[in-house]
Amino acid sequence: MSYKVFYGLDVGKAEHHATALDLAGKRLYDKAIANDEAALRALFAKLGAPAELVVVVDQPASIGALPVAVANAMGIAVEYLPGLSMRRIADLHPGNAKTDARDAYIIADAARTMPHALRSVDIAGPALADLAVLVGHDDDLKDQVTAQTNRVRNLLLSVHPALERALGSNLAHPAVLSLLAKYGGPAGLRKAGRTRIDAVLKKKAPRIHGRLTDDIWAALAAQTVTVAGTASVEAILPGMTAGLAALIEQRVTVGAEVEKVLDAHPLAQVLTSMPGVGVRTCARILVEIGDGSSFRTAGHLASYAGLAPVTRRSGSSIRGEHPNRSGNKRLKNAMFMSAFAALRSDPESRAYYDRKRAAGKKHNAALICLARRRCDVIHAMLRDGTFYAKQAPLAA
């Protein structure tokens, strides 16, 4: 579509800086505007009919959500200039200043002269907005769970390494957290006795309680000395483990909410029909790329996700393809973890991975190759709205 006015918005918490350019690059507007619906509506109505305008933001979510919503309500096209692209484009402009006014001008000028650098803002109703909030909250909770788990492990390691080793990967298991919340550290567990330890573990770990009890009791017997600071650890651990259990329970609740939203999304069943794509991976993919219509080919999607290799060539002396270090990190991680999960659930993916390994690629490189191949399939599934179907053996 041909636009006549290009609005660049450098978004902010209280106000945005807006720069509007015409086709020739003449500044039609260059002022700060309040982050307020009435002010934004007045601004967008100032310089032309909705069909002639395009609004480009540097952040479509969070502090940039209101301008996007107002422009959408007025029937104005909205685009997004990714931060990395903006910084590279900024190097083409004179000066090194970093101001809101300069950034807004760069955004508007990029929309006027380099429309290929823009990404469309997928406004597909409240479902994706709800998913974005839930997935973001789940990411925060995951980081908190990881940090809290590491704190608990470090405390145990500082006073009783054998107990920390015995709990190992089961430390965040609900049964173990209940045990530590009730009896604290090694002294409390030793005082409780083997029978009580087993009784607590059995309630939430009926299959593995016996092994856990044996491991814990053997670890307690392996260390007879009391390390300085043990008393403080005994006092701190119950509260820390109870907090960790609460964070894990919150993730379960958020996961259920994500599943509810996905149940109402037409593309959720399409994505989850692919081996290795679970609820959280599906939600992340939808949040990052929507229905995929912004990507003309699978190659464009792979490049955006950072899965397409980068060719570096200089004359005849330097040739080769190298891993892509840019792209959307969250999407790349989701694709990577999905490929990893598919190794167990999809024989075709496993066979492709094994062929790459046999060709000399290391584990991560082979997984990236598999993720790139699966990216092609995901693009086709989203484009056509079709479910995953087993294919012929994948070529090496």
Side-chain angles (χ1 to χ4, degrees), residues 113-136:
T113 60
M114 291 180 277
H116 61 277
L118 306 179
R119 300 287 181 196
S120 66
V121 176
D122 193 347
I123 307 171
L128 280 184
D130 290 339
L131 268 184
V133 172
L134 291 170
V135 169

Side-chain angles (χ1 to χ4, degrees), residues 5-9 18-27 29 54 56 81 86 89-90 92-94 101-118:
V5 178
F6 305 85
Y7 278 103
L9 285 184
T19 299
L21 304 178
D22 63 13
L23 283 169
K26 179 182 177 182
R27 294 182 195 241
Y29 189 92
V54 60
V56 186
L81 181 63
M86 180 179 168
I89 294 170
L92 303 176
H93 292 258
R102 183 173 187 267
D103 286 350
Y105 174 80
I106 291 170
I107 294 169
D109 196 52
R112 182 181 69 89
T113 60
M114 291 180 277
H116 61 277
L118 306 179

Side-chain angles (χ1 to χ4, degrees), residues 2 59 79 89 147 177 188 220 265 270 348 369 389:
S2 297
Q59 187 173 334
E79 302 281 350
I89 294 170
L177 293 177
L220 292 174
H265 198 288
V270 171
E348 295 170 6
C369 290

